Amino acid sequence: MTLDVERVAHGGIFVAHHEGRVVFVADAIPGERVVARIFDQSKDRFWRAETIEVLEASPDRRRHVWAEASVERAPEHRAGGAEFGHVEITRQRALKAEVLVDALARFGGVERDVVVEPVSASLAPDVDLDAGTGWRTRVRLHVAADGSVGPYAARSHTVVPVASLPLAVPALTALAPLGERFAGARAVDLIAPSVGDAALVVVDDERMPRAPRPTIVERVGDRDFTLDRDGFWQVHSGAAATLTSAVHDLIDAEGFDPRAANHDLYGGVGLLAAAVGDRFGDAVRITSVESDARATEHAGANLADWVGARAVTARVDRYLDELATSAGRAELTRLADATIVLDPPRSGAGRAVVDRLAELRPRQLVYVACDPVALARDVGLLRAHGYELEALRAFDLFPNTHHVEAVARLRAIV
């Protein structure tokens, strides 16, 4: 059917209407007229579609940065993972800002303008800022039944053979075995740490190995972080430094007490706890809480420079429950004076964690979010507990995708 595309929606898709019904259509741009194929009519309220021809193009449409993901290909053969690659880069950022603004208004009750900032060229020298390519330091290639490798097609688990990986850093494009076969493997991981050589890892079994797991080192400024080679790290080559700088900027120094019970929740290997320590000195008291035991082990070593730092292995919700029920009066006072940094998974912190945080009543929260709707929902929950959104920055850490990273500061006001 022919559709007039109206606006962007969360998730890298766009909104059109057909005879009063909402149609979510992929690979379009607001203002375009497209021919789209409906592939999902399972819901009464909306359908899902994918563009197969552009009749009237937006002035912001460009040749897709990844030929294998282009609208010229049949949808079932388009590589996934670059759903905004057909959109000029400044318009991409405007679309991401629009999604974040809309989410904050709808779910957080906050009206606020947002500018999505690019990563500084000084932090990611290999990135083509105009094209949004050359930034990805981790790539997983899936293995098809015949042993060929490639990304999944958009919205499916079909492996698409490709001849290029334009989002990857140069070290990975040189290493990628795109024409080879890996019969019997599950996946091939490509990893380019900031220290040392890039690696190709054939994944035969997703279970944790019994042998010692290989480690890598990532450098942020003058500081090194050790982590498991298959452990979590920000995928954009300049993301860790960008978020470190943003946390530095967003913490209100006048409201920060280095002796308080400061925390880094969902702390990983200690990146953001280190950001706090680097800004406020080696006597800062801060606890990193992370459910992954290996990451916590690394965090303990990575934070060894700070005498007041410690790393705890625990689920954040259970840790806060225990803290709320067992803390004495002095500890509750230190919590009330605290700054809490939290970087939850894509699903956000959620009601249970928000409710406990509000009960403990830290002075300020610095919330790092990779999903605008989850952030907005949690902002709304926190506002109901008497916290207000004081500051917000957003960053384009995933160019040519719909993803956007945001860092927010909330303060207890009542």
Side-chain angles (χ1 to χ4, degrees), residues 28 54 59 80 96 132 169 196 204 222 295 304 310 339 344 380 391:
V54 180
K96 296 177 187 188
V169 296
D204 293 315
D222 297 326
R310 67 187 185 116
T339 294

Side-chain angles (χ1 to χ4, degrees), residues 140-191:
R140 168 158 284 197
L141 300 173
H142 303 280
V143 180
D146 65 358
S148 62
V149 300
Y152 283 144
R155 299 171 295 279
S156 86
H157 287 89
T158 301
V159 175
V160 179
V162 296
S164 63
L165 296 172
L167 302 192
V169 296
L172 295 188
T173 61
L175 189 64
L178 298 180
E180 299 180 26
R181 293 182 182 271
F182 294 82
R186 292 173 181 247
V188 175
D189 286 341
L190 306 175
I191 303 161

Side-chain angles (χ1 to χ4, degrees), residues 122-125 137-138 192-196 216-227 233-234 236-242 244 269 271 274 278 302:
S122 64
L123 300 180
T137 62
R138 271 86 172 151
S194 55
V195 178
I216 57 173
V217 174
E218 295 283 2
R219 182 166 296 151
V220 182
D222 297 326
R223 185 168 296 284
D224 287 348
F225 295 84
T226 299
L227 63 149
W233 187 257
Q234 291 289 338
H236 190 296
S237 58
T242 298
T244 293
V269 297
L271 172 68
D278 278 338
N302 294 333

Side-chain angles (χ1 to χ4, degrees), residues 1-10 12-38 40 44-51 53 98:
M1 60 179 59
T2 299
L3 296 172
D4 292 315
V5 183
E6 302 162 16
R7 58 182 176 84
V8 67
H10 178 51
I13 53 178
F14 300 86
V15 177
H17 284 84
H18 175 72
E19 297 180 351
R21 177 182 277 105
V22 172
V23 181
F24 292 119
V25 58
D27 302 317
I29 304 175
E32 291 188 328
R33 174 167 287 185
V34 302
V35 178
R37 183 175 68 187
I38 306 299
D40 183 359
D44 290 334
R45 295 185 298 108
F46 61 85
W47 291 344
R48 296 188 182 275
E50 47 211 358
T51 299
E53 183 183 357
E98 186 178 331

Side-chain angles (χ1 to χ4, degrees), residues 339-356:
T339 294
I340 306 292
V341 178
L342 62 159
D343 183 7
R346 193 168 302 281
S347 56
R351 182 177 294 276
V353 169
V354 167
D355 287 350
R356 277 303 193 192

Side-chain angles (χ1 to χ4, degrees), residues 178-352:
L178 298 180
E180 299 180 26
R181 293 182 182 271
F182 294 82
R186 292 173 181 247
V188 175
D189 286 341
L190 306 175
I191 303 161
S194 55
V195 178
D197 295 331
L200 182 154
V201 181
V202 178
V203 181
D204 293 315
D205 197 322
E206 297 288 1
R207 293 174 298 179
M208 295 296 183
R210 294 183 178 180
R213 292 162 69 182
T215 61
I216 57 173
V217 174
E218 295 283 2
R219 182 166 296 151
V220 182
D222 297 326
R223 185 168 296 284
D224 287 348
F225 295 84
T226 299
L227 63 149
D228 285 349
R229 187 176 60 188
D230 60 353
F232 174 79
W233 187 257
Q234 291 289 338
V235 70
H236 190 296
S237 58
T242 298
L243 293 177
T244 293
S245 176
V247 169
H248 283 178
D249 293 344
L250 267 291
I251 293 176
D252 180 5
E254 292 185 1
F256 185 83
D257 182 351
R259 297 162 299 180
N262 303 299
H263 280 74
D264 174 21
L265 304 180
Y266 313 93
V269 297
L271 172 68
L272 300 183
V276 177
D278 278 338
R279 181 176 179 193
F280 294 102
D282 57 12
V284 165
R285 181 183 179 188
I286 189 162
T287 300
S288 175
V289 181
E290 166 61 47
S291 62
D292 185 282
R294 285 285 295 171
T296 306
E297 181 181 340
H298 291 307
N302 294 333
L303 299 173
D305 289 359
W306 294 277
V307 295
R310 67 187 185 116
V312 175
T313 302
R315 276 182 39 171
V316 168
D317 55 348
R318 294 174 182 172
Y319 174 85
L320 294 177
D321 286 346
E322 176 66 21
L323 202 59
T325 56
S326 64
R329 181 175 297 178
E331 184 67 12
L332 289 174
T333 298
R334 286 192 290 269
L335 282 163
D337 293 334
T339 294
I340 306 292
V341 178
L342 62 159
D343 183 7
R346 193 168 302 281
S347 56
R351 182 177 294 276

